[in-house]
Amino acid sequence: MTHIAVLGSTNMDLVTYVDKAPRRGETVTGREFRTVPGGKGANQAIAAARAGATVSMIGAVGTDAYGARLRDTLEHSGVDTDFLRTVQGPSGTAHIVVDAEGGNAIVVIPGANGTVDHLSPGDEGVIATADALLLQLEIPLAAVVAGAQAARRHGVRTVLTPSPVQPLPSELLDAVDLLVPNEYEAVTLTGRTDPREAAAALLELVPEVVVTLGATGCLYLTRGAGPLVVPAPRVTAVDSTGAGDTFVGALAVARAEEKPVREALAWAAAAAAVSVQREGASASMPYRPEIEAQYGT
């Protein structure tokens, strides 16, 4: 079975649903509030596990009630948490506002994730046994670089989601195989306003780039070939939180299973399409039969 390692964050998502997100200085009344296990690392781990992979999560949770719930949620989804350590203090949290159109704005407070600034004993061994390593930027950059370099040493494919977006050092980019920014992140990283131009600029730094374009689909570039645009299924979005992580987790599984690129991208887009029709991040992520059903429509 495909083995995916994830080095990244676990957060409790504190989600407020509103008709319209407040502007600066404005107070609005929300419709609902929920606490939903999330974090980009945990989300991608759960997405990959539900898509059919064996998944190992490397990271940290706190000693609060959120930490116990985050660990339980990962384990319930079939994710191995042997290398998810518990540290004194609060777990990470993400404060999310979701509007009536399914759009969101997020503030992340690192908590325990801030302690993941290096690889702990055993982490490299887990990475070495994986078919792919998934990375994001919600833990200290030093650990992301260390993880990517460990994967490179062992010939493990590395997939980086550059979120929250920040400048990417050359020592990280040199160890990345696939970069998956959304449109905003691609523009911010390159200063190019056109997604194709931004993707082309990023392709000078890494071998493969996928720019996710929300409801439009995604744009794929690899060296020596022309751009590939894969549309997203048409669905009615309820909450887009976690859709990008669902896409990355499913894509990692599809590529590890050696699906052709176009098929892998369409399969990952189908997974994301299922997720946006439900509320929450990890709670919305589909299991493999649901992905296959959406992919076949």
Side-chain angles (χ1 to χ4, degrees):
M1 180 179 284
T2 297
H3 179 208
I4 304 294
V6 181
L7 171 61
S9 59
T10 57
N11 293 323
M12 185 59 70
D13 293 346
L14 311 178
V15 190
T16 301
Y17 294 93
V18 298
D19 291 328
K20 183 179 179 181
R23 294 170 296 180
R24 184 174 183 178
E26 181 183 14
T27 299
V28 300
T29 299
R31 300 192 311 272
E32 188 178 1
F33 172 78
R34 292 185 180 182
T35 57
V36 183
K40 298 195 72 64
N43 286 345
Q44 292 183 6
I46 290 171
R50 292 184 178 182
T54 296
V55 181
S56 301
M57 180 72 204
I58 304 169
V61 294
T63 49
D64 54 3
Y66 288 159
R69 186 177 169 194
L70 288 165
R71 186 181 295 276
D72 287 346
T73 298
L74 285 161
E75 292 175 350
H76 184 73
S77 292
V79 177
D80 177 10
T81 62
D82 285 351
F83 292 87
L84 179 66
R85 53 190 181 267
T86 300
V87 299
Q88 189 66 39
S91 300
T93 53
H95 303 253
I96 305 172
V97 176
V98 180
D99 63 29
E101 296 178 354
N104 62 66
I106 305 173
V107 176
V108 174
I109 299 176
N113 298 306
T115 69
V116 186
D117 55 5
H118 61 282
L119 294 183
S120 292
D123 290 350
E124 183 163 345
V126 174
I127 293 169
T129 64
D131 296 294
L133 172 67
L134 305 187
L135 298 165
Q136 322 78 34
L137 301 177
E138 287 185 341
I139 60 173
L141 191 58
V144 179
V145 172
Q149 291 176 336
R152 180 54 51 92
R153 283 193 293 273
H154 296 282
V156 175
R157 179 176 172 80
T158 302
V159 181
L160 173 64
T161 303
S163 178
V165 67
Q166 60 182 278
L168 303 176
S170 59
E171 59 265 33
L172 174 57
L173 291 168
D174 289 346
V176 170
D177 295 297
L178 172 61
L179 187 67
V180 191
N182 62 24
E183 188 172 356
Y184 167 78
E185 291 154 0
V187 167
T188 302
L189 287 169
T190 64
R192 312 289 179 88
T193 56
D194 180 83
R196 287 177 180 264
E197 293 182 2
L202 292 170
L203 193 62
E204 296 178 4
L205 306 175
V206 296
E208 291 181 281
V209 177
V210 175
V211 179
T212 57
L213 305 171
T216 303
C218 64
L219 172 65
Y220 171 82
L221 274 79
T222 188
R223 294 170 182 171
L228 175 61
V229 177
V230 176
R234 289 191 173 187
V235 298
T236 300
V238 172
D239 182 357
S240 63
T241 307
D245 296 326
T246 302
F247 178 91
V248 171
L251 179 61
V253 174
R255 291 299 300 276
E257 293 177 350
E258 300 185 349
K259 285 182 169 62
V261 171
R262 181 184 290 274
E263 180 182 335
L265 292 167
W267 199 75
V274 175
S275 75
V276 301
Q277 297 176 74
R278 305 167 176 170
E279 293 181 342
S282 62
S284 72
M285 293 175 174
Y287 288 88
R288 192 177 184 105
E290 297 175 296
I291 301 173
E292 297 286 3
Q294 178 67 62
Y295 178 72
T297 58

